[in-house]
Amino acid sequence: DGGITQSPKYLFRKEGQNVTLSCEQNLNHDAMYWYRQDPGQGLRLIYYSQIVNDFQKGDIAEGYSVSREKKESFPLTVTSAQKNPTAFYLCASSPPYRPKTPLARDRGSPSSGNTIYFGEGSWLTVV
Amino acid sequence: AQTVTQSQPEMSVQEAETVTLSCTYDTSESNYYLFWYKQPPSRQMILVIRQEAYKQQNATENRFSVNFQKAAKSFSLKISDSQLGDTAMYFCAFMTPPEYGNKLVFGAGTILRVKS
């Protein structure tokens, strides 16, 4: 079945340790995202990648790192520099992005890549 | 910068009744997408409904519909015939245009409790 797989579901990190969360998708999506969710709050964007070998910082990138060596994979490393990493982490992906042509924009027709799908998430706890 | 505001932290509704969740957003763009996502206790993010800003017609998906007021930058979700399985956190989200990364910006969420 097609989907987004995150692993592990639960992860414990010791002080000063780097840990990596895995995210794999077989949907042939170009764009991938990492979000963090703290209890009772909304999602905040950590990093995103629109194509292979390219990624950009989101709103809360400090203390995190990512790579995008393959289209299917977008692992997130939580480094020791992230002082409060305990949270729920969600990976997401989006279909291929096709920019609107000026005529398409004038007609108001939608672009592709305009829905984001999520994995089941990973819990990270500092011990 | 785009922002999304959900002014109702929690709401309750009786089973089979109708409830409306509020959402406002701020953007200078004219073409964009708006979403409602549902997050049950399992934490899985489930897409409920999507609205393209260029469409005047409000989106509907079975018991879920939206009231999209572009000029007012309002995007409320109406749930009809509420069911116990609708109990969840609901997030309103705005998608930035492709030139800004097709990113989702989320509101803080509204906890909806459906009571029997």
Side-chain angles (χ1 to χ4, degrees):
Chain A
D1 289 343
I4 303 170
T5 302
Q6 290 187 237
S7 63
K9 180 74 172 177
Y10 300 95
L11 185 60
F12 299 90
R13 192 194 91 167
K14 295 180 180 178
E15 294 284 348
Q17 186 180 45
N18 292 355
V19 293
T20 298
L21 305 179
S22 170
C23 179
E24 303 279 333
Q25 55 98 0
N26 59 3
L27 301 168
N28 197 34
H29 288 175
D30 283 343
M32 297 187 74
Y33 310 81
W34 274 105
Y35 286 88
R36 168 178 172 149
Q37 186 178 27
D38 291 284
Q41 297 186 29
L43 281 69
R44 293 182 291 169
L45 182 64
I46 305 172
Y47 268 98
Y48 65 103
S49 168
Q50 290 186 283
I51 56 173
V52 176
N53 293 321
D54 186 48
F55 50 83
Q56 285 79 39
K57 293 181 179 179
D59 301 319
I60 55 166
E62 185 174 353
Y64 299 96
S65 66
V66 294
S67 62
R68 188 81 188 280
E69 297 177 0
K70 299 186 298 181
K71 187 176 186 178
E72 304 79 18
S73 179
F74 191 43
L76 173 73
T77 296
V78 184
T79 74
S80 57
Q82 172 50 243
K83 297 307 178 186
N84 185 23
T86 296
F88 185 63
Y89 291 85
L90 280 159
C91 178
S93 68
S94 180
Y97 157 64
R98 295 184 179 86
K100 295 179 187 177
T101 64
L103 183 61
R105 178 180 280 273
D106 291 342
R107 286 204 305 267
S109 58
S111 64
S112 298
N114 51 22
T115 297
I116 292 182
Y117 301 89
F118 288 85
E120 294 187 347
S122 294
W123 285 98
L124 175 62
T125 303
V126 174
V127 296
Chain B
Q2 291 84 6
T3 59
V4 177
T5 302
Q6 294 179 249
S7 59
Q8 305 153 314
E10 296 187 28
M11 293 194 72
S12 296
V13 64
Q14 285 297 126
E15 199 174 5
E17 293 188 348
T18 296
V19 64
T20 299
L21 309 183
S22 301
C23 174
T24 58
Y25 59 95
D26 188 24
T27 183
S28 58
E29 296 293 323
S30 59
N31 285 318
Y32 49 86
Y33 297 87
L34 294 163
F35 302 82
W36 278 97
Y37 280 88
K38 168 185 176 181
Q39 188 180 44
S42 66
R43 293 273 182 157
Q44 175 74 48
M45 292 289 285
I46 301 167
L47 178 65
V48 174
I49 200 164
R50 185 185 80 179
Q51 174 80 41
E52 291 101 337
Y54 78 97
K55 289 185 176 179
Q56 292 187 349
Q57 185 176 7
N58 289 325
T60 62
E61 288 287 342
N62 300 315
R63 298 183 294 107
F64 298 89
S65 62
V66 298
N67 183 6
F68 174 48
Q69 302 290 328
K70 191 172 184 179
K73 296 180 182 177
S74 172
F75 183 60
S76 61
L77 174 70
K78 185 173 80 170
I79 305 174
S80 304
D81 186 25
S82 297
Q83 301 175 0
L84 295 177
D86 294 333
T87 294
M89 174 80 91
Y90 286 81
F91 291 100
C92 178
F94 170 96
M95 177 173 273
T96 63
E99 55 268 35
Y100 296 109
N102 266 21
K103 299 177 291 183
L104 274 178
V105 177
F106 286 87
T110 297
I111 298 173
L112 175 67
R113 295 187 175 86
V114 180
K115 299 179 179 179
S116 58

